[in-house]
Amino acid sequence: QVQLVESGGGLVQAGGSLKLSCAASGRTFSPDIMGWFRQAPGKEREFVSAIRWSGEITYYADSVKGRLTISRDNAKNTVYLQMNSLNPEDTAVYYCAARVDSASPYKYWGQGTQVTVSP
């Protein structure tokens, strides 16, 4: 059983910053890729960023490049998403997800954490 638990969401003013965390646990947890997704009200869930667990390769959606930074701490089984220069369009529920490898879908999902950016 794999569990992903997000934290760090909240309310911030436009231009502010937040840092999300995703703590992973599980007896045989060994995904190659960890990702962040978000879903705004009335919109579909969209990809935000991802990082390979075994290396430094990262991926970002064009809308967040230069503002959001993904990182991980393998010793803590935790992935982070540092979010800077936030704007109201970033308001959404942010989900952490894990996939075994690039050929597999994201199988494991967290419960989500709300990020609200006020004008």
Side-chain angles (χ1 to χ4, degrees):
Q1 184 73 11
V2 174
Q3 285 189 322
L4 303 177
V5 180
E6 303 98 333
S7 61
L11 174 64
V12 64
Q13 289 187 330
S17 299
L18 282 174
K19 186 174 184 178
L20 306 183
S21 300
C22 173
S25 62
R27 188 171 59 181
T28 58
F29 185 74
S30 58
D32 185 45
I33 300 173
M34 298 289 293
W36 287 96
F37 291 75
R38 67 186 182 186
Q39 187 167 20
K43 295 186 177 181
E44 294 186 353
R45 186 176 299 182
E46 65 175 358
F47 169 78
V48 175
S49 182
I51 185 168
R52 288 195 177 271
W53 201 258
S54 55
E56 297 296 331
I57 299 175
T58 57
Y59 310 88
Y60 295 95
D62 289 342
S63 59
V64 305
K65 283 182 180 177
R67 300 189 298 116
L68 274 57
T69 303
I70 192 170
S71 62
R72 85 280 188 266
D73 184 334
N74 288 352
K76 295 182 179 180
N77 266 356
T78 301
V79 176
Y80 305 98
L81 186 67
Q82 176 67 47
M83 305 190 294
N84 299 326
S85 301
L86 288 165
N87 58 64
E89 289 69 39
D90 295 313
T91 294
V93 177
Y94 284 71
Y95 297 91
C96 175
R99 60 198 298 188
V100 174
D101 52 47
S102 59
S104 304
Y106 281 94
K107 180 179 180 180
Y108 306 105
W109 292 84
Q111 82 289 349
T113 185
Q114 176 70 47
V115 171
T116 303
V117 184
S118 62

